[in-house]
Amino acid sequence: MLRIKYFDAFKGENPFLVILGNPDVFLAAHDFFMNKREAYLNDPLITGYSEIAPLSRFRFYLTAEECKQIAEHFKHLGESDEPGHIYFDTAALEDIEVLISQGEYDHLF
């Protein structure tokens, strides 16, 4: 299950949403998001940990195109055992940087 946490100040004092997982989690997230017409990034079917206050639930809305894009990012990380990260942009979180990471920020959760 994905782990999601919001930080008011992270990397240069900018707001970030950090999403963590391992290869199995990211491949499952790929399958979950790949063919969705719309979805919420923090859907409880794929998210095991979510610390997102003060953001509203609607800030996690993804369009069909965004679902496809994030699914590809999850697949890329899921096909590797190496630590790494990818940045993702979504209209609903336009003022917040989204960082999807594997094996880099586990100590923050």
Side-chain angles (χ1 to χ4, degrees), residues 19-63:
I19 303 171
L20 297 185
N22 61 38
D24 291 336
V25 167
F26 286 143
L27 291 176
H30 166 267
D31 294 345
F32 179 83
F33 285 105
M34 189 57 192
N35 293 311
K36 295 273 193 227
R37 289 183 160 193
E38 61 184 25
Y40 286 93
L41 181 57
N42 62 337
D43 188 303
L45 294 174
I46 197 69
T47 303
Y49 176 90
S50 182
E51 188 178 320
I52 59 170
L55 304 178
S56 83
R57 175 183 183 314
F58 300 104
R59 298 292 306 266
F60 294 86
Y61 176 79
L62 300 176
T63 65

